[in-house]
Amino acid sequence: KQVDYTGGEYGPDVVSDYALDFMTRNRDNPFLLYYPMILTHCPFEPTPDSESWDPSSPGSETYKGDSKYFGDMVSYMDSIVGKIDRHLEKLGIRDNTILMFLGDNGTDKPVVSMLDGREVAGAKAMTTDAGTRVPFIANWPGVFSEGSVCTDLVDMSDFLPTLCQCADVPVPSTLALDGRSFLPQLKGQPGNPRDWIYIWYARSGVRGEAREFTRNQRYKLYKTGEFYDVKSDPLETAPISTVDLSSEQAQTRNILQNALDSFADARPDNLN
């Protein structure tokens, strides 16, 4: 039910406390908790751990707020993840519970972070790495390979088959899925990694404004023909000339083009 909070409560605390209550109520039964976190979405504001926190404040007067609070919001988000982890321990079900943490899109544009000694500006709503490559962390004590890093490609469509395999739930043979399970990789096994991923993105939903591409770990090919070496050109400032392709690049471009072509008729007719 809809509830108005007027006592200085902090929204992310209210929601995460509800999540803990849900887990408590379902402790003795298998459950799936999908928790789309409010943090660290704008407006960027103080958290209860910030020096400038004011519980009487109605919130930011602007849509973006002040990006100087982004770090505080990240820290508070981390603390909420820790709260969930500790609650699972308290309930005695931590070793039988999978935790997955996943970003939904790149960081907002006013935010500039450091990565590997270089500044990275947020690129939310853009199709560069800074807009489409997000953190993903998975933990299942005693089952998933701890402390390991896997560089295999994963996209959002892979989570349904992965979760089904984790729960030993068969996917109906009549259900056509684009995704593939990456559970073996989580266990430290080779698995069946993707050769490429495909993305169609239009913030407006208008077909003519969409950016469409396929990519592997290093190269990206847009439907427009733009071909980038993302490793050396993460901002996609200089497309690779088709007349200067190495044999490896030519082969990769051909694979990515075939993948693009396979989705040529994937859009519904009623999408303008």
Side-chain angles (χ1 to χ4, degrees), residues 92-259:
I93 57 175
R94 182 64 189 90
D95 288 346
N96 195 37
T97 304
I98 300 167
L99 274 180
M100 290 186 174
F101 178 92
L102 175 69
D104 63 342
N105 51 241
T107 305
D108 211 339
K109 294 178 181 178
V111 178
V112 179
S113 307
M114 296 298 297
L115 177 66
D116 296 332
R118 64 183 178 90
E119 288 188 347
V120 178
K124 180 178 177 178
M126 299 178 66
T127 56
T128 60
D129 258 16
T132 58
R133 185 180 179 185
V134 297
F136 171 53
I137 303 170
N139 179 267
W140 188 0
V143 180
F144 291 170
S145 180
E146 293 189 11
S148 62
V149 176
C150 180
T151 60
D152 289 349
L153 293 169
V154 171
D155 83 3
M156 298 295 188
S157 69
D158 297 328
F159 281 83
L160 174 59
T162 301
L163 290 172
C164 286
Q165 190 175 10
C166 287
D168 198 24
V169 175
V171 177
S173 59
T174 56
L175 183 63
L177 297 180
D178 291 320
R180 62 178 68 181
S181 173
F182 53 86
L183 177 59
Q185 290 98 309
L186 293 174
K187 294 181 175 181
Q189 303 165 3
N192 181 29
R194 291 173 165 274
D195 294 321
W196 47 265
I197 61 173
Y198 166 81
I199 291 181
W200 185 98
Y201 175 70
R203 185 178 179 88
S204 64
V206 177
R207 185 195 298 263
E209 297 177 2
R211 293 283 277 169
E212 187 175 356
F213 66 84
T214 51
R215 66 162 298 169
N216 62 14
Q217 283 94 338
R218 180 169 181 176
Y219 295 101
K220 177 188 290 187
L221 176 65
Y222 284 90
K223 189 175 181 179
T224 57
E226 300 164 273
F227 186 49
Y228 293 98
D229 183 340
V230 179
K231 182 178 180 180
S232 62
D233 184 17
L235 297 181
E236 301 177 15
T237 59
I240 303 172
S241 171
T242 55
V243 299
D244 297 325
L245 299 181
S246 66
S247 58
E248 175 206 3
Q249 290 171 334
Q251 182 180 14
T252 299
R253 192 183 189 285
N254 185 56
I255 292 172
L256 296 180
Q257 183 63 61
N258 289 336

